[in-house]
Amino acid sequence: MNLFALVLLSRAVYSLMWFFTAPVLPAILRDLEVDPSQAGLLPAVFIIGAAVTQIPASYLGALYGHDKAAGLGMVIFGASSILLSLSPGWIWLLLFRALGGVGAGLFFSTAGAVLVALRPNAVGSALGWYNASFNIGAFAGYYWGFAAAVLGWRAALAAPGALSIALGLLLLRGRGLRSPASISRGAVAYGLASFPFWGAVYAANNLTATWLHLFRNLSEGVAGAISSAAMVSGFFGGLLGRLYDRLRRKHVLLLGAPLVSTLVYLAIPGAPLWVTPLLVFLYGMSFNAYITSVYAAASRRAENPASALAIINIVNMALGLHFSYAFSWLMTQSPEYPWHMLSLLTFISALSTYIVANRLKIY
């Protein structure tokens, strides 16, 4: 298998392991006799583990090779998933999930840097396929509850871990693609511009199903299926990246994509139910077009693409994560309020990204 395809396959398995705990969490809480109020700790410790290793990962990649650093991340992530299946209690489960976040943090930016190095004249297309692979794995992760129903939650968590380790070992045998160890100020600017949109999509992806269940009276299964339409849209990431490469005026995607989501979020609370899957698909599609463009614009300017991707991701996670709490609170005040907040956030990202792109002269 060539390196480009190996990275994309690894990315899909990586994203599956991002999301595969969500559908099996109720079974975990029952078996380990954990109060449901503690359920939010599991995704939280994972994000913390991923955030703290982003910058170290870019430096490891610069020193030893981005493909090797990504391979180490996949091995650690896979091992953590196997350990999850062996957890004797809740505290151990949290520790092993945090370890998985460490592995995920080592993989994300370095694997993206490998694709940039392999396709220097088609950065948008390469990162577009990178995002598409993430959505394919995430889509499978949303439905991993079906695997758990057959195998049990412990075996369902262990199986992707074994595959992750195998893929990681293949990446560790790579050629050692390096780049200078440096920090990109432009990436910081793009991170600050993009975090409102990232936070809006993170909140929507996690809470749309709950909103549909509470305010549209849908079953949890149907609501979850509708919310997964945002991941289906990501399958077209490669095409969107190619569009970025070919456009002379990059602002079309950097400004236009978040403006589409601004309108979509405004429309969701009042739209007929049959239109909702299309609207969810559209905000997912617009985000993939936007974030692919942001990653490509920052990576092309950076001496160390892994550093640029890491910085954007850290800023997005650190600042964007908290809009989920606001969505939940606003939902208790009025069904429309959380969507108005998300619409405002995407509009802010549209304007701020346009300003950053003009100041950095991205064309």
Side-chain angles (χ1 to χ4, degrees), residues 300-320:
R300 290 176 67 177
R301 289 181 56 87
E303 291 184 340
N304 183 351
S307 171
L309 295 174
I311 290 169
I312 292 171
N313 212 32
I314 288 173
V315 175
N316 284 174
M317 288 190 295
L319 300 181

Side-chain angles (χ1 to χ4, degrees), residues 36-283:
S37 64
Q38 298 186 48
L41 292 175
L42 196 64
V45 297
F46 177 78
I47 289 292
I48 292 170
V52 299
T53 50
Q54 294 282 317
I55 295 298
S58 70
Y59 278 93
L60 281 175
L63 290 174
Y64 302 107
H66 295 301
D67 45 353
K68 294 182 182 296
L72 176 63
M74 287 298 287
V75 169
I76 293 173
F77 203 176
S80 77
S81 297
I82 294 174
L83 290 170
L84 282 177
S85 71
L86 302 174
S87 299
W90 180 242
I91 298 300
W92 284 105
L93 198 84
L94 293 178
L95 290 173
F96 293 145
R97 191 56 174 162
L99 178 65
V102 169
L106 289 171
F107 175 84
F108 167 75
S109 62
T110 52
V114 170
L115 298 187
V116 171
L118 293 175
R119 300 285 190 276
N121 297 320
V123 173
S125 179
L127 293 176
W129 286 116
Y130 192 56
N131 286 332
S133 295
F134 180 86
N135 282 272
I136 291 169
F139 182 81
Y142 272 108
Y143 291 90
W144 207 243
F146 293 108
V150 175
L151 302 173
W153 68 265
R154 292 183 182 273
L157 295 183
L163 179 56
S164 176
I165 291 173
L167 292 170
L169 291 174
L170 289 175
L171 286 168
L172 280 168
R173 296 173 58 191
R175 31 180 145 154
L177 295 169
R178 296 176 176 85
S179 58
S182 61
I183 297 294
S184 169
R185 293 183 180 180
V188 176
Y190 272 112
L192 292 172
S194 62
F195 87 82
F197 197 179
W198 188 96
V201 170
Y202 185 82
N205 284 345
N206 282 283
L207 296 168
T208 293
T210 301
W211 186 88
L212 289 170
H213 176 66
L214 292 175
F215 300 107
R216 291 299 180 91
N217 300 314
L218 297 179
S219 69
E220 293 175 348
V222 173
I226 290 176
S227 65
S228 71
M231 297 302 163
V232 175
S233 67
F235 295 2
F236 302 98
L239 298 177
L240 296 172
R242 188 175 302 173
L243 178 62
Y244 173 86
D245 288 330
R246 293 184 176 181
L247 281 173
R248 284 191 64 189
R249 306 295 294 181
K250 310 300 186 186
H251 303 89
V252 172
L253 288 178
L254 290 169
L255 179 63
L259 288 178
V260 169
S261 278
T262 297
L263 298 176
V264 167
Y265 287 138
L266 282 176
I268 284 178
L273 190 57
W274 64 270
V275 179
T276 304
L278 175 61
L279 295 175
V280 172
F281 177 88
L282 283 175
Y283 82 63

